[in-house]
Amino acid sequence: MKAAVLYERRKPLVIEDLDLVAAGPGEVEVELIASGVCHSDLHHVNRDTPTVLPVVLGHEGAGIVKSVGPNVTRVRPGDHVIIAFGSKCGECFYCVRGMPYLCTPASPARPRLSRGGKTINQFLEVATYAERTVVSEKNIVKIRDDAPLAICSLVACGVTTGIGAVVNTAKVEPGSNVVVIGTGGVGLNVVQGARLAGAARIIAVDVLDNKLEFAREMGATHVLNAAKENVIDRVKALTGGYGADYAFEVIGNPKTISQAYESVRKGGVAVVVGVSDENAELTFKPVWMMRQSKTLMGCAYGSSRPQVDFPRIVDLYMEKRIKLDELITRHFALDEINEAFRAMEAGEVARGILDLA
Ligand code: APR
Ligand code: ZN
Ligand code: ZN
């Protein structure tokens, strides 16, 4: 089966034929229908990260169950599924406390991909830039048959991370004033999460006007171009001089994290959603934490429980309470993955999606 392999950092991915294991005990083989292209994948191309190469990237996938290994009870061949990324062991310290987004399994997943007998790693145990994948049953979330599967692939990361940051992590109350810094594929979902939560003002901040247009479409009430305007001053002016109740940083940059922290009022909450560089450091004056009683929070995978959150988000979409179609600006074939990365880096797309079927 064909997959996109990263052999060397800062080099294009290579499309190759790989060997995929048959689904073993507790594993599921999925015929992938689509995979969203997330900036987190590109980080592993452009940055030196702990991810071991060679690796098949991709972590925003959906598809149809092709076969199941022994002892699989959750799904059957033909079921429509969204694949949750990362370990989801169900047994560790974090999983038993309802925090599968922090899962720290006792043992790693077995190697499932190879070429010429040499192991190729699966990014985040899912590797969705491929025609097929084999994953643990615990990463599989069955969804309703009438939902458009390709569009629902976005629920595997961007949508759940964005909406989850608002609803699960920050628990934004109706009437709140919210700032979203970075309105790309994930940030746009923070915007629509804030709308869903009943935020009064949703102030979208980006450096690209086309992204701010997307943000309006997703429910932003105000937009600020950080390349042209002073973000802190404008946020204060829009919030009665106080600052926002909540700010979300969805880029992964210490400068914009500081900006998020500064843009909230006394007692406000800033949430870091973006993934910073491994060696990045944040400097700020902690005295303000006490004096202004502010909170700086982290948020992995929208603090989500995929088995609960994915079907809920799909229902919200099917009831037209959230938008997914509008997020997809461009479709690509698997062998156009490097072009999809280029388009994302150039800021041309809200979300790009690989059609894999
Ligand atoms: N100020 C405001 N916006 C900025 C700035 C800045 N200094 N720098 C970049 N941006 C905007 C970009 O213009 C883009 O619209 O941030 C957005 C990032 O969006 P995408 O490239 O689509 O990335 P996305 O997939 O949304 O991921 C964002 O969240 O999950 C993490 O790893 C992911 O760190 C990444 C972040
Ligand atoms: Zn992602
Ligand atoms: Zn676990």
Side-chain angles (χ1 to χ4, degrees), residues 1-5 13-20 30-36 41 55-63 83 113 120-123 126-135 333-335 337 354-357:
M1 67 114 203
K2 275 205 299 180
V5 188
L13 304 193
V14 182
I15 307 296
E16 283 184 333
D17 262 310
L18 303 186
D19 295 314
L20 179 65
V30 179
E31 190 89 58
L32 289 158
I33 297 291
S35 176
D41 295 295
V55 63
V56 172
L57 295 174
H59 63 282
E60 197 174 75
I83 303 171
L113 289 171
I120 312 255
N121 296 302
Q122 287 182 302
F123 183 49
V126 293
T128 61
Y129 293 166
E131 293 174 322
R132 279 181 286 133
T133 188
V134 169
V135 301
L334 176 60
D335 58 14
I337 178 62
L354 299 184
D355 292 322
L356 300 167

mmCIF file of all heavy atoms in Angstrom, residues 1-5 13-20 30-36 41 55-63 83 113 120-123 126-135 333-335 337 354-357:
data_model
loop_
_atom_site.group_PDB
_atom_site.id
_atom_site.type_symbol
_atom_site.label_atom_id
_atom_site.label_comp_id
_atom_site.label_asym_id
_atom_site.label_seq_id
_atom_site.Cartn_x
_atom_site.Cartn_y
_atom_site.Cartn_z
ATOM 1 N N MET A 1 0.839 -1.200 0.000
ATOM 2 C CA MET A 1 0.000 0.000 0.000
ATOM 3 C C MET A 1 0.872 1.248 0.000
ATOM 4 O O MET A 1 1.976 1.244 0.513
ATOM 5 C CB MET A 1 -0.932 -0.038 1.207
ATOM 6 C CG MET A 1 -0.270 0.069 2.544
ATOM 7 S SD MET A 1 -0.688 1.576 3.397
ATOM 8 C CE MET A 1 0.728 1.688 4.478
ATOM 9 N N LYS A 2 0.320 2.311 -0.587
ATOM 10 C CA LYS A 2 1.100 3.550 -0.729
ATOM 11 C C LYS A 2 1.014 4.413 0.538
ATOM 12 O O LYS A 2 -0.038 4.499 1.173
ATOM 13 C CB LYS A 2 0.559 4.373 -1.907
ATOM 14 C CG LYS A 2 1.135 3.961 -3.253
ATOM 15 C CD LYS A 2 1.104 5.100 -4.278
ATOM 16 C CE LYS A 2 -0.289 5.594 -4.597
ATOM 17 N NZ LYS A 2 -0.300 6.695 -5.576
ATOM 18 N N ALA A 3 2.144 5.029 0.876
ATOM 19 C CA ALA A 3 2.175 5.929 2.035
ATOM 20 C C ALA A 3 3.227 7.001 1.787
ATOM 21 O O ALA A 3 4.097 6.853 0.933
ATOM 22 C CB ALA A 3 2.487 5.148 3.298
ATOM 23 N N ALA A 4 3.139 8.098 2.557
ATOM 24 C CA ALA A 4 4.097 9.203 2.441
ATOM 25 C C ALA A 4 5.086 9.111 3.606
ATOM 26 O O ALA A 4 4.684 9.240 4.767
ATOM 27 C CB ALA A 4 3.360 10.538 2.466
ATOM 28 N N VAL A 5 6.356 8.883 3.285
ATOM 29 C CA VAL A 5 7.361 8.640 4.325
ATOM 30 C C VAL A 5 8.294 9.839 4.479
ATOM 31 O O VAL A 5 8.778 10.390 3.491
ATOM 32 C CB VAL A 5 8.225 7.397 3.976
ATOM 33 C CG1 VAL A 5 9.133 7.023 5.145
ATOM 34 C CG2 VAL A 5 7.354 6.218 3.570
ATOM 35 N N LEU A 13 8.463 14.640 1.664
ATOM 36 C CA LEU A 13 8.043 13.270 1.960
ATOM 37 C C LEU A 13 8.164 12.464 0.664
ATOM 38 O O LEU A 13 8.047 13.004 -0.426
ATOM 39 C CB LEU A 13 6.595 13.234 2.448
ATOM 40 C CG LEU A 13 6.224 14.100 3.659
ATOM 41 C CD1 LEU A 13 4.853 13.696 4.190
ATOM 42 C CD2 LEU A 13 7.253 13.993 4.764
ATOM 43 N N VAL A 14 8.360 11.151 0.814
ATOM 44 C CA VAL A 14 8.535 10.263 -0.333
ATOM 45 C C VAL A 14 7.354 9.296 -0.379
ATOM 46 O O VAL A 14 7.026 8.669 0.628
ATOM 47 C CB VAL A 14 9.863 9.461 -0.189
ATOM 48 C CG1 VAL A 14 10.089 8.570 -1.405
ATOM 49 C CG2 VAL A 14 11.036 10.403 0.024
ATOM 50 N N ILE A 15 6.714 9.194 -1.548
ATOM 51 C CA ILE A 15 5.585 8.259 -1.686
ATOM 52 C C ILE A 15 6.147 6.891 -2.051
ATOM 53 O O ILE A 15 6.869 6.761 -3.045
ATOM 54 C CB ILE A 15 4.606 8.724 -2.789
ATOM 55 C CG1 ILE A 15 4.170 10.164 -2.558
ATOM 56 C CG2 ILE A 15 3.405 7.774 -2.875
ATOM 57 C CD1 ILE A 15 3.384 10.411 -1.292
ATOM 58 N N GLU A 16 5.826 5.888 -1.244
ATOM 59 C CA GLU A 16 6.389 4.553 -1.454
ATOM 60 C C GLU A 16 5.360 3.478 -1.169
ATOM 61 O O GLU A 16 4.373 3.709 -0.464
ATOM 62 C CB GLU A 16 7.567 4.337 -0.491
ATOM 63 C CG GLU A 16 8.812 5.051 -0.928
ATOM 64 C CD GLU A 16 9.987 4.736 -0.024
ATOM 65 O OE1 GLU A 16 9.777 4.418 1.162
ATOM 66 O OE2 GLU A 16 11.115 4.815 -0.508
ATOM 67 N N ASP A 17 5.665 2.279 -1.677
ATOM 68 C CA ASP A 17 4.871 1.103 -1.332
ATOM 69 C C ASP A 17 5.431 0.508 -0.057
ATOM 70 O O ASP A 17 6.623 0.193 0.007
ATOM 71 C CB ASP A 17 4.964 0.070 -2.458
ATOM 72 C CG ASP A 17 3.759 0.154 -3.364
ATOM 73 O OD1 ASP A 17 2.633 0.147 -2.823
ATOM 74 O OD2 ASP A 17 3.947 0.238 -4.589
ATOM 75 N N LEU A 18 4.597 0.352 0.952
ATOM 76 C CA LEU A 18 5.050 -0.192 2.232
ATOM 77 C C LEU A 18 4.292 -1.480 2.558
ATOM 78 O O LEU A 18 3.194 -1.709 2.048
ATOM 79 C CB LEU A 18 4.807 0.810 3.370
ATOM 80 C CG LEU A 18 5.433 2.194 3.249
ATOM 81 C CD1 LEU A 18 5.198 2.985 4.532
ATOM 82 C CD2 LEU A 18 6.923 2.121 2.945
ATOM 83 N N ASP A 19 4.896 -2.285 3.427
ATOM 84 C CA ASP A 19 4.201 -3.470 3.936
ATOM 85 C C ASP A 19 3.501 -3.085 5.231
ATOM 86 O O ASP A 19 4.090 -2.432 6.105
ATOM 87 C CB ASP A 19 5.204 -4.600 4.207
ATOM 88 C CG ASP A 19 5.866 -5.071 2.916
ATOM 89 O OD1 ASP A 19 5.127 -5.267 1.931
ATOM 90 O OD2 ASP A 19 7.109 -5.198 2.892
ATOM 91 N N LEU A 20 2.252 -3.522 5.329
ATOM 92 C CA LEU A 20 1.435 -3.249 6.515
ATOM 93 C C LEU A 20 1.091 -4.596 7.137
ATOM 94 O O LEU A 20 0.665 -5.506 6.419
ATOM 95 C CB LEU A 20 0.156 -2.516 6.071
ATOM 96 C CG LEU A 20 -0.874 -2.138 7.129
ATOM 97 C CD1 LEU A 20 -0.316 -1.107 8.103
ATOM 98 C CD2 LEU A 20 -2.138 -1.578 6.450
ATOM 99 N N VAL A 30 -7.861 -0.247 8.787
ATOM 100 C CA VAL A 30 -8.789 0.759 8.248
ATOM 101 C C VAL A 30 -8.373 1.147 6.832
ATOM 102 O O VAL A 30 -7.198 1.435 6.572
ATOM 103 C CB VAL A 30 -8.808 2.036 9.136
ATOM 104 C CG1 VAL A 30 -9.756 3.088 8.560
ATOM 105 C CG2 VAL A 30 -9.201 1.694 10.566
ATOM 106 N N GLU A 31 -9.333 1.133 5.930
ATOM 107 C CA GLU A 31 -9.162 1.677 4.577
ATOM 108 C C GLU A 31 -9.382 3.175 4.723
ATOM 109 O O GLU A 31 -10.517 3.621 4.996
ATOM 110 C CB GLU A 31 -10.265 1.057 3.705
ATOM 111 C CG GLU A 31 -10.125 1.304 2.231
ATOM 112 C CD GLU A 31 -9.288 0.229 1.562
ATOM 113 O OE1 GLU A 31 -9.643 -0.956 1.654
ATOM 114 O OE2 GLU A 31 -8.278 0.614 0.955
ATOM 115 N N LEU A 32 -8.328 3.970 4.591
ATOM 116 C CA LEU A 32 -8.479 5.403 4.839
ATOM 117 C C LEU A 32 -9.228 6.083 3.694
ATOM 118 O O LEU A 32 -9.007 5.771 2.518
ATOM 119 C CB LEU A 32 -7.107 6.041 5.050
ATOM 120 C CG LEU A 32 -6.469 5.643 6.395
ATOM 121 C CD1 LEU A 32 -4.953 5.816 6.357
ATOM 122 C CD2 LEU A 32 -7.068 6.463 7.524
ATOM 123 N N ILE A 33 -10.114 6.978 4.034
ATOM 124 C CA ILE A 33 -10.885 7.727 3.038
ATOM 125 C C ILE A 33 -10.269 9.117 2.862
ATOM 126 O O ILE A 33 -10.159 9.621 1.758
ATOM 127 C CB ILE A 33 -12.366 7.865 3.493
ATOM 128 C CG1 ILE A 33 -13.021 6.480 3.584
ATOM 129 C CG2 ILE A 33 -13.154 8.798 2.577
ATOM 130 C CD1 ILE A 33 -13.231 5.776 2.251
ATOM 131 N N ALA A 34 -9.862 9.716 3.959
ATOM 132 C CA ALA A 34 -9.277 11.053 3.884
ATOM 133 C C ALA A 34 -8.440 11.328 5.123
ATOM 134 O O ALA A 34 -8.643 10.725 6.177
ATOM 135 C CB ALA A 34 -10.377 12.108 3.759
ATOM 136 N N SER A 35 -7.485 12.252 4.947
ATOM 137 C CA SER A 35 -6.701 12.727 6.095
ATOM 138 C C SER A 35 -6.507 14.225 5.962
ATOM 139 O O SER A 35 -6.057 14.701 4.913
ATOM 140 C CB SER A 35 -5.341 12.039 6.149
ATOM 141 O OG SER A 35 -4.566 12.593 7.208
ATOM 142 N N GLY A 36 -6.850 14.958 6.998
ATOM 143 C CA GLY A 36 -6.565 16.384 7.018
ATOM 144 C C GLY A 36 -5.063 16.589 7.148
ATOM 145 O O GLY A 36 -4.335 15.719 7.637
ATOM 146 N N ASP A 41 1.926 18.009 11.743
ATOM 147 C CA ASP A 41 2.709 17.087 10.908
ATOM 148 C C ASP A 41 3.947 17.804 10.375
ATOM 149 O O ASP A 41 5.063 17.286 10.427
ATOM 150 C CB ASP A 41 1.870 16.586 9.724
ATOM 151 C CG ASP A 41 0.692 15.749 10.168
ATOM 152 O OD1 ASP A 41 0.933 14.667 10.727
ATOM 153 O OD2 ASP A 41 -0.458 16.180 9.974
ATOM 154 N N VAL A 55 9.355 7.871 9.248
ATOM 155 C CA VAL A 55 8.018 7.840 9.829
ATOM 156 C C VAL A 55 6.980 8.201 8.759
ATOM 157 O O VAL A 55 7.262 9.007 7.870
ATOM 158 C CB VAL A 55 7.942 8.815 11.037
ATOM 159 C CG1 VAL A 55 8.169 10.264 10.599
ATOM 160 C CG2 VAL A 55 6.628 8.706 11.793
ATOM 161 N N VAL A 56 5.832 7.561 8.848
ATOM 162 C CA VAL A 56 4.688 7.976 8.035
ATOM 163 C C VAL A 56 3.882 8.955 8.887
ATOM 164 O O VAL A 56 3.389 8.594 9.954
ATOM 165 C CB VAL A 56 3.821 6.779 7.592
ATOM 166 C CG1 VAL A 56 2.525 7.258 6.925
ATOM 167 C CG2 VAL A 56 4.597 5.889 6.629
ATOM 168 N N LEU A 57 3.805 10.203 8.430
ATOM 169 C CA LEU A 57 3.084 11.228 9.179
ATOM 170 C C LEU A 57 1.569 11.106 8.952
ATOM 171 O O LEU A 57 1.101 10.178 8.296
ATOM 172 C CB LEU A 57 3.582 12.620 8.759
ATOM 173 C CG LEU A 57 5.043 12.933 9.105
ATOM 174 C CD1 LEU A 57 5.465 14.273 8.505
ATOM 175 C CD2 LEU A 57 5.254 12.956 10.625
ATOM 176 N N GLY A 58 0.821 12.066 9.478
ATOM 177 C CA GLY A 58 -0.644 12.083 9.318
ATOM 178 C C GLY A 58 -1.323 11.599 10.581
ATOM 179 O O GLY A 58 -1.005 10.521 11.089
ATOM 180 N N HIS A 59 -2.239 12.436 11.112
ATOM 181 C CA HIS A 59 -2.911 12.060 12.365
ATOM 182 C C HIS A 59 -4.346 12.567 12.401
ATOM 183 O O HIS A 59 -4.920 12.717 13.463
ATOM 184 C CB HIS A 59 -2.111 12.608 13.560
ATOM 185 C CG HIS A 59 -2.049 14.106 13.582
ATOM 186 N ND1 HIS A 59 -1.202 14.829 12.784
ATOM 187 C CD2 HIS A 59 -2.766 15.011 14.277
ATOM 188 C CE1 HIS A 59 -1.393 16.114 12.999
ATOM 189 N NE2 HIS A 59 -2.344 16.261 13.902
ATOM 190 N N GLU A 60 -4.899 12.887 11.210
ATOM 191 C CA GLU A 60 -6.261 13.446 11.169
ATOM 192 C C GLU A 60 -7.063 12.626 10.150
ATOM 193 O O GLU A 60 -7.465 13.132 9.111
ATOM 194 C CB GLU A 60 -6.177 14.937 10.785
ATOM 195 C CG GLU A 60 -7.430 15.710 11.095
ATOM 196 C CD GLU A 60 -7.285 17.206 10.836
ATOM 197 O OE1 GLU A 60 -7.291 17.616 9.660
ATOM 198 O OE2 GLU A 60 -7.156 17.971 11.816
ATOM 199 N N GLY A 61 -7.258 11.339 10.448
ATOM 200 C CA GLY A 61 -7.817 10.440 9.443
ATOM 201 C C GLY A 61 -9.147 9.811 9.804
ATOM 202 O O GLY A 61 -9.511 9.657 10.973
ATOM 203 N N ALA A 62 -9.876 9.453 8.724
ATOM 204 C CA ALA A 62 -11.131 8.710 8.885
ATOM 205 C C ALA A 62 -11.202 7.678 7.763
ATOM 206 O O ALA A 62 -10.582 7.849 6.704
ATOM 207 C CB ALA A 62 -12.321 9.652 8.804
ATOM 208 N N GLY A 63 -11.941 6.619 7.987
ATOM 209 C CA GLY A 63 -12.050 5.589 6.966
ATOM 210 C C GLY A 63 -13.057 4.520 7.327
ATOM 211 O O GLY A 63 -13.922 4.721 8.187
ATOM 212 N N ILE A 83 -10.210 8.080 13.439
ATOM 213 C CA ILE A 83 -9.088 7.517 14.194
ATOM 214 C C ILE A 83 -8.517 8.573 15.141
ATOM 215 O O ILE A 83 -8.054 9.624 14.699
ATOM 216 C CB ILE A 83 -7.993 7.018 13.232
ATOM 217 C CG1 ILE A 83 -8.596 5.984 12.256
ATOM 218 C CG2 ILE A 83 -6.825 6.425 14.004
ATOM 219 C CD1 ILE A 83 -7.653 5.590 11.135
ATOM 220 N N LEU A 113 4.509 -0.998 10.227
ATOM 221 C CA LEU A 113 4.859 -0.655 8.847
ATOM 222 C C LEU A 113 6.306 -1.002 8.578
ATOM 223 O O LEU A 113 7.169 -0.841 9.461
ATOM 224 C CB LEU A 113 4.698 0.855 8.623
ATOM 225 C CG LEU A 113 3.282 1.427 8.578
ATOM 226 C CD1 LEU A 113 3.346 2.956 8.580
ATOM 227 C CD2 LEU A 113 2.527 0.927 7.361
ATOM 228 N N ILE A 120 9.267 1.099 9.549
ATOM 229 C CA ILE A 120 8.934 2.518 9.344
ATOM 230 C C ILE A 120 7.942 2.856 10.465
ATOM 231 O O ILE A 120 6.992 2.101 10.693
ATOM 232 C CB ILE A 120 8.254 2.743 7.983
ATOM 233 C CG1 ILE A 120 9.038 2.048 6.866
ATOM 234 C CG2 ILE A 120 7.970 4.219 7.745
ATOM 235 C CD1 ILE A 120 9.863 2.896 5.967
ATOM 236 N N ASN A 121 8.173 3.950 11.168
ATOM 237 C CA ASN A 121 7.311 4.273 12.316
ATOM 238 C C ASN A 121 5.968 4.860 11.890
ATOM 239 O O ASN A 121 5.852 5.450 10.824
ATOM 240 C CB ASN A 121 8.038 5.237 13.248
ATOM 241 C CG ASN A 121 9.269 4.577 13.846
ATOM 242 O OD1 ASN A 121 9.166 3.542 14.490
ATOM 243 N ND2 ASN A 121 10.440 5.146 13.588
ATOM 244 N N GLN A 122 4.998 4.687 12.756
ATOM 245 C CA GLN A 122 3.668 5.292 12.550
ATOM 246 C C GLN A 122 3.600 6.525 13.431
ATOM 247 O O GLN A 122 3.651 6.403 14.664
ATOM 248 C CB GLN A 122 2.559 4.341 13.014
ATOM 249 C CG GLN A 122 2.296 3.148 12.140
ATOM 250 C CD GLN A 122 1.137 2.346 12.729
ATOM 251 O OE1 GLN A 122 1.198 1.904 13.874
ATOM 252 N NE2 GLN A 122 0.091 2.140 11.957
ATOM 253 N N PHE A 123 3.459 7.696 12.830
ATOM 254 C CA PHE A 123 3.349 8.926 13.608
ATOM 255 C C PHE A 123 2.142 8.824 14.548
ATOM 256 O O PHE A 123 1.022 8.534 14.116
ATOM 257 C CB PHE A 123 3.195 10.115 12.657
ATOM 258 C CG PHE A 123 3.132 11.457 13.349
ATOM 259 C CD1 PHE A 123 4.068 11.807 14.313
ATOM 260 C CD2 PHE A 123 2.155 12.373 13.021
ATOM 261 C CE1 PHE A 123 4.014 13.051 14.939
ATOM 262 C CE2 PHE A 123 2.092 13.615 13.632
ATOM 263 C CZ PHE A 123 3.029 13.956 14.598
ATOM 264 N N VAL A 126 -0.737 6.230 14.397
ATOM 265 C CA VAL A 126 -1.841 6.156 13.434
ATOM 266 C C VAL A 126 -1.417 6.252 11.958
ATOM 267 O O VAL A 126 -1.959 5.534 11.125
ATOM 268 C CB VAL A 126 -2.955 7.180 13.749
ATOM 269 C CG1 VAL A 126 -3.647 6.829 15.044
ATOM 270 C CG2 VAL A 126 -2.445 8.604 13.773
ATOM 271 N N ALA A 127 -0.467 7.137 11.614
ATOM 272 C CA ALA A 127 0.097 7.205 10.249
ATOM 273 C C ALA A 127 -0.966 7.255 9.157
ATOM 274 O O ALA A 127 -1.144 6.311 8.386
ATOM 275 C CB ALA A 127 1.023 6.011 10.014
ATOM 276 N N THR A 128 -1.647 8.395 9.052
ATOM 277 C CA THR A 128 -2.798 8.469 8.139
ATOM 278 C C THR A 128 -2.477 9.024 6.744
ATOM 279 O O THR A 128 -3.384 9.133 5.924
ATOM 280 C CB THR A 128 -3.937 9.306 8.759
ATOM 281 O OG1 THR A 128 -3.452 10.630 8.992
ATOM 282 C CG2 THR A 128 -4.427 8.694 10.062
ATOM 283 N N TYR A 129 -1.217 9.377 6.464
ATOM 284 C CA TYR A 129 -0.866 9.747 5.085
ATOM 285 C C TYR A 129 -0.561 8.458 4.337
ATOM 286 O O TYR A 129 0.580 8.179 3.942
ATOM 287 C CB TYR A 129 0.350 10.676 5.038
ATOM 288 C CG TYR A 129 0.131 12.064 5.620
ATOM 289 C CD1 TYR A 129 1.224 12.883 5.909
ATOM 290 C CD2 TYR A 129 -1.149 12.570 5.853
ATOM 291 C CE1 TYR A 129 1.047 14.157 6.422
ATOM 292 C CE2 TYR A 129 -1.334 13.845 6.384
ATOM 293 C CZ TYR A 129 -0.229 14.628 6.658
ATOM 294 O OH TYR A 129 -0.396 15.897 7.168
ATOM 295 N N ALA A 130 -1.576 7.645 4.168
ATOM 296 C CA ALA A 130 -1.426 6.308 3.603
ATOM 297 C C ALA A 130 -2.779 5.835 3.092
ATOM 298 O O ALA A 130 -3.813 6.421 3.421
ATOM 299 C CB ALA A 130 -0.917 5.354 4.679
ATOM 300 N N GLU A 131 -2.743 4.769 2.291
ATOM 301 C CA GLU A 131 -4.021 4.231 1.791
ATOM 302 C C GLU A 131 -4.745 3.424 2.866
ATOM 303 O O GLU A 131 -5.966 3.360 2.890
ATOM 304 C CB GLU A 131 -3.763 3.359 0.563
ATOM 305 C CG GLU A 131 -3.266 4.184 -0.619
ATOM 306 C CD GLU A 131 -2.851 3.330 -1.805
ATOM 307 O OE1 GLU A 131 -2.265 2.239 -1.596
ATOM 308 O OE2 GLU A 131 -3.094 3.760 -2.943
ATOM 309 N N ARG A 132 -3.946 2.788 3.720
ATOM 310 C CA ARG A 132 -4.530 1.983 4.797
ATOM 311 C C ARG A 132 -3.681 2.132 6.049
ATOM 312 O O ARG A 132 -2.523 2.558 5.977
ATOM 313 C CB ARG A 132 -4.566 0.500 4.401
ATOM 314 C CG ARG A 132 -5.735 0.137 3.501
ATOM 315 C CD ARG A 132 -5.724 -1.349 3.175
ATOM 316 N NE ARG A 132 -4.691 -1.686 2.221
ATOM 317 C CZ ARG A 132 -3.846 -2.711 2.351
ATOM 318 N NH1 ARG A 132 -3.901 -3.513 3.403
ATOM 319 N NH2 ARG A 132 -2.925 -2.940 1.442
ATOM 320 N N THR A 133 -4.254 1.735 7.185
ATOM 321 C CA THR A 133 -3.467 1.706 8.416
ATOM 322 C C THR A 133 -3.995 0.616 9.331
ATOM 323 O O THR A 133 -5.144 0.176 9.176
ATOM 324 C CB THR A 133 -3.475 3.084 9.138
ATOM 325 O OG1 THR A 133 -2.536 3.049 10.222
ATOM 326 C CG2 THR A 133 -4.849 3.448 9.670
ATOM 327 N N VAL A 134 -3.139 0.163 10.229
ATOM 328 C CA VAL A 134 -3.558 -0.752 11.297
ATOM 329 C C VAL A 134 -3.284 -0.036 12.609
ATOM 330 O O VAL A 134 -2.174 0.474 12.825
ATOM 331 C CB VAL A 134 -2.795 -2.088 11.247
ATOM 332 C CG1 VAL A 134 -3.050 -2.921 12.504
ATOM 333 C CG2 VAL A 134 -3.198 -2.893 10.010
ATOM 334 N N VAL A 135 -4.318 0.065 13.444
ATOM 335 C CA VAL A 135 -4.197 0.770 14.719
ATOM 336 C C VAL A 135 -4.842 -0.052 15.823
ATOM 337 O O VAL A 135 -5.570 -1.011 15.548
ATOM 338 C CB VAL A 135 -4.874 2.169 14.660
ATOM 339 C CG1 VAL A 135 -4.252 3.044 13.579
ATOM 340 C CG2 VAL A 135 -6.368 2.059 14.446
ATOM 341 N N ALA A 333 -4.325 14.801 -3.715
ATOM 342 C CA ALA A 333 -4.089 13.357 -3.755
ATOM 343 C C ALA A 333 -2.923 13.051 -2.811
ATOM 344 O O ALA A 333 -2.164 13.962 -2.446
ATOM 345 C CB ALA A 333 -3.743 12.917 -5.175
ATOM 346 N N LEU A 334 -2.781 11.792 -2.427
ATOM 347 C CA LEU A 334 -1.692 11.416 -1.517
ATOM 348 C C LEU A 334 -0.328 11.874 -2.047
ATOM 349 O O LEU A 334 0.491 12.393 -1.291
ATOM 350 C CB LEU A 334 -1.701 9.886 -1.302
ATOM 351 C CG LEU A 334 -0.580 9.308 -0.444
ATOM 352 C CD1 LEU A 334 -0.577 9.894 0.965
ATOM 353 C CD2 LEU A 334 -0.702 7.780 -0.376
ATOM 354 N N ASP A 335 -0.107 11.715 -3.354
ATOM 355 C CA ASP A 335 1.219 12.081 -3.879
ATOM 356 C C ASP A 335 1.385 13.595 -4.063
ATOM 357 O O ASP A 335 2.406 14.060 -4.559
ATOM 358 C CB ASP A 335 1.563 11.292 -5.153
ATOM 359 C CG ASP A 335 0.546 11.485 -6.259
ATOM 360 O OD1 ASP A 335 -0.282 12.419 -6.148
ATOM 361 O OD2 ASP A 335 0.575 10.707 -7.225
ATOM 362 N N ILE A 337 1.171 15.496 -1.302
ATOM 363 C CA ILE A 337 1.321 15.899 0.102
ATOM 364 C C ILE A 337 2.307 17.060 0.264
ATOM 365 O O ILE A 337 2.083 17.967 1.063
ATOM 366 C CB ILE A 337 1.718 14.700 1.011
ATOM 367 C CG1 ILE A 337 1.913 15.132 2.459
ATOM 368 C CG2 ILE A 337 2.945 13.971 0.509
ATOM 369 C CD1 ILE A 337 0.702 15.695 3.150
ATOM 370 N N LEU A 354 -6.281 15.365 2.244
ATOM 371 C CA LEU A 354 -5.837 14.353 1.281
ATOM 372 C C LEU A 354 -6.989 13.387 1.041
ATOM 373 O O LEU A 354 -7.535 12.828 1.998
ATOM 374 C CB LEU A 354 -4.655 13.541 1.828
ATOM 375 C CG LEU A 354 -3.353 14.245 2.188
ATOM 376 C CD1 LEU A 354 -2.310 13.201 2.604
ATOM 377 C CD2 LEU A 354 -2.832 15.061 1.012
ATOM 378 N N ASP A 355 -7.348 13.192 -0.239
ATOM 379 C CA ASP A 355 -8.354 12.178 -0.584
ATOM 380 C C ASP A 355 -7.610 10.871 -0.811
ATOM 381 O O ASP A 355 -6.749 10.781 -1.685
ATOM 382 C CB ASP A 355 -9.109 12.598 -1.852
ATOM 383 C CG ASP A 355 -9.979 13.826 -1.609
ATOM 384 O OD1 ASP A 355 -10.565 13.916 -0.509
ATOM 385 O OD2 ASP A 355 -10.051 14.693 -2.505
ATOM 386 N N LEU A 356 -7.930 9.870 -0.017
ATOM 387 C CA LEU A 356 -7.124 8.643 -0.007
ATOM 388 C C LEU A 356 -7.832 7.439 -0.629
ATOM 389 O O LEU A 356 -7.214 6.414 -0.858
ATOM 390 C CB LEU A 356 -6.703 8.320 1.432
ATOM 391 C CG LEU A 356 -5.869 9.424 2.084
ATOM 392 C CD1 LEU A 356 -5.738 9.217 3.578
ATOM 393 C CD2 LEU A 356 -4.490 9.491 1.441
ATOM 394 N N ALA A 357 -9.124 7.568 -0.876
ATOM 395 C CA ALA A 357 -9.866 6.405 -1.402
ATOM 396 C C ALA A 357 -9.870 6.425 -2.928
ATOM 397 O O ALA A 357 -9.784 7.487 -3.528
ATOM 398 C CB ALA A 357 -11.282 6.415 -0.895
#
